[in-house]
Amino acid sequence: MPISKQAVEELERRRAAATLGGGQKKIDARHNKGLWSARERLDALFTAGTFQEFGLHAQHESRQFGMEGKDLPGDAVVTGVGFIDNRPVAAFSQDFTVAGGSLGSKHAEKLSLVMDHAELSGVPVVGFNDSGGARIQEGVIALSGYGQVFNRNVRLSGVVPQIAVIAGPCAGGAAYSPALMDFIIMIRGGSEMFICGPEVIRGVTGQATSKDEIGSADVHASVSGNIHFVADSEQDAVDIVRRLLSYLPSNNMSEPPHQIAPEVDLTPDPGIEDILPESGKVPFDVKDVINRLVDPGTFLEVQRDFAKNMVVGFGRIDGIVVGFIANQPKELAGCLDIDASDKGARFIRFCNAFGIPIVNLVDVPGFLPGVRQERGGIIRHGAKMLFAYGATTVPKITIIMRKAYGGAFLAMCSRDMGADIVLAWPAAEIAVMGAEGAVNILYRGDLEKADDRVARSRELADEYRAHFASPYISAGKLFVHDVIMPSETRGRVSLALRTLLSKRETRPPKKHGNIPL
Ligand SMILES: CC(C)(COP(=O)(O)OP(=O)(O)OC[C@H]1O[C@@H](n2cnc3c(N)ncnc32)[C@H](O)[C@@H]1OP(=O)(O)O)[C@@H](O)C(=O)NCCC(=O)NCCSC(=O)CC(=O)O
């Protein structure tokens, strides 16, 4: 039976009305502020025509506080599944033009529905957050909605990648859904995220502050470490999501999207040696090293502005997706501190959850000394790095570039902590501590008696380096698989990755370990 003209018109009318959300006027007002609508965000994210919407006609059931008869199209959120680069991805986009994107019971149900779909079909979730929080008129029902969403965020963690974009207000309890996801991208200028706003802070503590001071993209990127990327615009945020997804498998049972080059390119790259200063004490930028190891332009740094002494990010080597964990000699001499340990450990665990091999670049003089570090719990935080590596079963390749001292070296994945292959450069110093520190302890008496203390100290330090810190000592004891020229590194890592992609490692069954938090 043909569909009646009336039925067709009704469908078209309902679709058109629901698709406009809070109406053209409100959308225009957003455009005037440089903000996109919820649907424009999804249009930019997905390949045109591939987005299947779930719940376009959803309506709230609230009957109190004047809500009876109020039309809230889609209950303030657009949800569904579409394709990005030929891969399915589930998404939601909160619609600020409808009741400020606030979360009511149907809104939460829509989020739950799309997340359940993502879990069952093993596809990543991307969520645009732009909301005034729990819908005040729905009270505890809205609160329960958050509970349903948080619970699913946790359930999906380690099963499918979850990416949050903060594209507007995201305050109070609402901030905890993104916080439970894997990566957070915040749009500079157009977004804010905090638990208690300035008014509440002033009321409770008397402290005067501003939204910018506690909740801007830049503060979260560089001070709190809550987020992973800052986007300069709506388009930039979408581009970051798409780029990030290009390194990630759809779920924990799929391989990462490697595009393995058929031939290993073993051509040496002498340019990498030019990066290294002659003196081991002069800093260099480890990102210059990473950029020479990866296929050109493929390094995507994560948390660039937080704990800069640790560099983490994704890249491709001969098309193979890898995660880099690198000490940064030009920040705090590459020491591990509380923030760097938190940042590194979380990234290691993400890579492990999704089968992404890890390349560690080591130049670490130790844990950062200091009262703030000790009282702040560097023991607990540094232990996260050890725990993360020790529990990780993906392929791990460690390159010792220069210093690899003491416990900090173990926390950067020594052979004993689970590295499958350890390669050292000729200038590597692998030791229980630095040479100068060691001779001060071992030869205190000798140095006190010396006519030229500085010269004697240097002589003893050179001797210590040659006898205890040389990479050949560690290579002789099999702590290092091979000593290689820096120029050979890319080819050797590519070879190592190819031999390790089939790695399978099982552990004794347990509910889960107890990582120090
Ligand atoms: C998000 C805002 C900063 C945005 O300010 P703007 O000036 O841009 O916009 P606005 O105030 O005109 O809001 C746009 C429309 O959204 C509605 N609106 C906003 N937030 C709402 C909410 N939480 N529940 C119901 N409606 C809400 C407004 O009434 C308005 O409706 P109309 O268009 O009809 O006039 C502000 O709206 C705000 O402070 N909202 C309340 C935030 C909040 O306290 N949330 C906590 C809820 S409790 C919670 O979430 C639990 C927890 O924190 O743990």
Side-chain angles (χ1 to χ4, degrees), residues 26 96 99-100 102 132-137 143 146 169 171-173 192 211:
K26 285 191 172 173
F96 194 82
S102 57
R135 187 163 309 140
I136 295 163
Q137 297 92 327
L143 210 54
Y146 274 120
E192 61 198 28
K211 284 183 176 180

Side-chain angles (χ1 to χ4, degrees), residues 10 15 89 166 228 246 271 293 329 399 405 411 415 418 453 478 481 500:
E10 184 181 5
R15 270 187 182 164
V89 173
I166 312 299
H228 303 82
S246 76
L293 294 182
I399 313 291
Y405 293 163
R415 190 202 69 176
R453 191 189 160 106
L478 287 177
H481 289 61
L500 282 165

Side-chain angles (χ1 to χ4, degrees), residues 105-349:
S105 69
K106 275 288 166 287
H107 183 129
E109 217 176 310
K110 282 179 75 173
L111 297 182
S112 299
L113 200 67
V114 81
M115 288 167 85
D116 290 347
H117 184 91
E119 182 193 332
L120 292 173
S121 39
V123 300
V125 177
V126 176
F128 291 90
N129 295 263
D130 189 355
S131 164
R135 187 163 309 140
I136 295 163
Q137 297 92 327
E138 295 201 25
V140 290
I141 297 174
L143 210 54
S144 158
Y146 274 120
Q148 293 160 34
V149 173
F150 298 165
N151 211 328
R152 281 173 174 79
N153 286 135
V154 176
R155 201 179 151 90
L156 265 58
S157 183
V159 178
V160 294
Q162 300 181 80
I163 301 172
V165 180
I166 312 299
C170 183
Y176 282 114
S177 174
L180 291 166
M181 296 171 89
D182 296 303
F183 297 102
I184 304 181
I185 299 154
M186 235 177 131
I187 303 177
R188 184 178 276 128
S191 62
E192 61 198 28
M193 186 166 59
F194 39 76
I195 297 299
C196 300
E199 295 298 315
V200 176
I201 293 178
R202 192 175 39 240
V204 175
T205 70
Q207 284 174 304
T209 186
S210 65
K211 284 183 176 180
D212 262 2
E213 198 178 40
I214 56 168
S216 71
D218 289 305
V219 162
H220 286 310
S222 60
V223 182
S224 71
N226 281 331
I227 69 164
H228 303 82
F229 300 93
V230 177
D232 286 322
S233 63
E234 299 260 3
Q235 183 63 53
D236 193 26
V238 167
D239 292 344
I240 295 170
V241 172
R242 294 177 66 110
R243 183 144 188 240
L244 188 51
L245 284 170
S246 76
Y247 296 95
L248 313 183
S250 294
N251 58 64
N252 62 337
M253 305 292 275
S254 309
E255 291 290 314
H258 302 305
Q259 297 154 2
I260 307 176
E263 304 274 324
V264 185
D265 181 6
L266 291 172
T267 317
D269 172 17
I272 204 165
E273 277 147 36
D274 298 337
I275 298 167
L276 292 176
E278 268 185 33
S279 161
K281 290 195 176 124
V282 175
F284 63 94
D285 188 345
V286 78
K287 289 188 225 176
D288 292 340
V289 172
I290 295 174
N291 278 316
R292 292 208 82 98
L293 294 182
V294 295
D295 304 345
T298 64
F299 182 53
L300 175 64
E301 189 173 358
V302 174
Q303 286 197 303
R304 190 190 62 194
D305 299 317
F306 180 68
K308 292 181 178 177
N309 42 328
M310 163 76 74
V311 173
V312 303
F314 300 105
R316 289 179 182 272
I317 297 180
D318 278 346
I320 302 170
V321 175
V322 297
F324 284 96
I325 322 283
N327 304 121
Q328 173 57 291
K330 76 184 189 112
E331 298 283 341
L332 298 175
C335 279
L336 288 180
D337 66 351
I338 289 170
D339 287 346
S341 301
D342 286 2
K343 171 177 169 179
R346 182 154 167 86
F347 189 72
I348 293 162
R349 284 163 66 82

